[in-house]
Amino acid sequence: GQQLNQSPQSMFIQEGEDVSMNCTSSSIFNTWLWYKQEPGEGPVLLIALYKAGELTSNGRLTAQFGITRKDSFLNISASIPSDVGIYFCAGQKRKLTFGTGTRLTIIP
Amino acid sequence: EPEVTQTPSHQVTQMGQEVILRCVPISNHLYFYWYRQILGQKVEFLVSFYNNEISEKSEIFDDQFSVERPDGSNFTLKIRSTKLEDSAMYFCASRTAQETQYFGPGTRLLVL
């Protein structure tokens, strides 16, 4: 089946630092999505990308849909404590295929 | 803002028992999904449902699983005879004709 490799697996950063994570796939997707999940809750959509090369921002979050349609990155600028959680990329061709997640921890 | 809701939030059951997990998708959505997430792992696709039939299912979705849209609002996942390895968070999701799926808060299923 389709696999998404997401890195890094975990990040420990200071408040105020910028964060960058990415996903790569061996398959092409029509849509890339970035979700955040907090403990005991469902994934919450952060950013959706619909076109190859698209760069989209949502507040402090910026994500890009790779030109090859096989990768995407998410950047978070000036991190704050509420950014803590697990971030998942997901590629969509009808169903969603999720990445393995990046666990973000912010050190006060 | 409309959201996907799921009940119950937690379910504990004995191995071999049947469970039904319920979802109320967003009202104007047409495509419905179930996913599961085993503790500490990624979210995995189970099944998609459109126009009152299954449109795609994964290898996880075997004969023990079934889905139903019994009325205009509910979307259910039934596990006929639960196994220990069915313990997981189960997420329902829905979308319109656009691509973006919205997830419910999940049902945590524990099989003893």
Side-chain angles (χ1 to χ4, degrees):
Chain A
Q2 295 164 330
Q3 299 266 356
L4 291 188
N5 298 311
Q6 187 171 346
S7 64
Q9 192 173 13
S10 59
M11 302 183 75
F12 294 83
I13 62 165
Q14 299 272 354
E15 184 178 346
E17 286 185 23
D18 296 344
V19 172
S20 185
M21 58 191 80
N22 67 81
C23 264
T24 58
S25 169
S26 56
S27 305
I28 288 174
F29 288 102
N30 299 328
T31 301
W32 278 91
L33 303 158
W34 284 92
Y35 288 88
K36 180 186 177 188
Q37 187 179 29
E38 298 189 26
E41 297 184 12
V44 174
L45 181 68
L46 298 174
I47 290 183
L49 302 157
Y50 300 105
K51 292 186 206 173
E54 180 182 352
L55 182 73
T56 295
S57 292
N58 178 9
R60 293 179 296 106
L61 277 59
T62 302
Q64 185 159 31
F65 191 153
I67 290 287
T68 64
R69 295 164 70 193
K70 292 183 179 181
D71 63 303
S72 177
F73 72 74
L74 174 72
N75 288 339
I76 306 173
S77 62
S79 57
I80 60 177
S82 60
D83 291 334
V84 164
I86 302 177
Y87 292 79
F88 289 98
C89 63
Q92 178 149 359
K93 262 196 309 194
R94 299 191 307 274
K95 68 182 186 193
L96 285 177
T97 300
F98 279 81
T100 46
T102 295
R103 181 180 296 273
L104 179 62
T105 302
I106 296 180
I107 305 165
Chain B
E1 186 175 324
E3 55 186 21
V4 177
T5 59
Q6 290 185 241
T7 55
S9 58
H10 295 77
Q11 174 97 46
V12 181
T13 190
Q14 295 284 337
M15 190 170 57
Q17 294 294 306
E18 174 183 288
V19 295
I20 297 176
L21 310 183
R22 291 184 167 80
C23 169
V24 179
I26 295 172
S27 62
N28 63 334
H29 286 190
L30 302 174
Y31 298 80
F32 313 113
Y33 303 82
W34 283 101
Y35 293 82
R36 80 169 186 193
Q37 185 179 31
I38 295 170
L39 186 64
Q41 298 186 21
K42 67 178 181 180
V43 178
E44 300 174 289
F45 168 77
L46 291 179
V47 65
S48 58
F49 191 87
Y50 171 70
N51 201 25
N52 283 320
E53 59 183 24
I54 290 173
S55 45
E56 189 172 356
K57 59 184 180 179
S58 71
E59 58 273 12
I60 303 168
F61 194 89
D62 61 22
D63 292 343
Q64 294 298 315
F65 290 88
S66 62
V67 289
E68 195 177 30
R69 187 154 163 82
D71 53 44
S73 59
N74 290 284
F75 179 51
T76 61
L77 174 69
K78 182 193 290 187
I79 310 174
R80 264 181 271 283
S81 177
T82 50
K83 305 188 283 286
L84 296 177
E85 54 266 35
D86 293 328
S87 295
M89 283 286 284
Y90 288 81
F91 294 107
C92 173
S94 69
R95 68 175 175 94
T96 63
Q98 294 178 340
E99 297 292 320
T100 307
Q101 293 183 27
Y102 291 89
F103 283 75
T107 293
R108 183 176 295 281
L109 176 65
L110 178 60
V111 182
L112 302 176

